[in-house]
Amino acid sequence: QVQLVESGGGLVQAGGSLRLSCVASGSSFSINAMGWYRQAPGKQRELVASITSGDSTNVAHSVKGRFTISRDNAKNTVYLQMNDLKPEDTAVYYCNADITRAGGPYTYRYWGQGTQVTVSS
């Protein structure tokens, strides 16, 4: 069984920073792409940033220049550094990972439980 656990959310004033972390745990798996999505009240879940196993990144236009995604493969961890936060960044942030279990040919997308980020004006 593979689990993703996020941490690092919280309440911050506009212009502040937060760093989200997401750790994948379990046994006998390999991680391909990882990413962060967010969902604000009344809105659809949207991609914030993603990173491949080769460290190629894709960042949403709305956060480009403010958010940075990175990963530590040795720790099975993906990070989202969020700077210059704005009230419109308020949302539940979810991490995801495309994981292949050992011995299996298929890749599945796993999701974390979400962490709340609230930015006050």
Side-chain angles (χ1 to χ4, degrees), residues 30-62:
S30 61
I31 304 175
N32 304 304
M34 304 183 82
W36 290 94
Y37 282 69
R38 68 185 181 186
Q39 187 166 19
K43 295 188 176 181
Q44 289 189 330
R45 189 175 295 191
E46 63 175 359
L47 173 68
V48 177
S50 62
I51 184 167
T52 69
S53 57
D55 286 341
S56 294
T57 62
N58 177 41
V59 181
H61 178 75
S62 60

Side-chain angles (χ1 to χ4, degrees), residues 1-2 65 76:
Q1 186 73 6
V2 177
N76 292 332

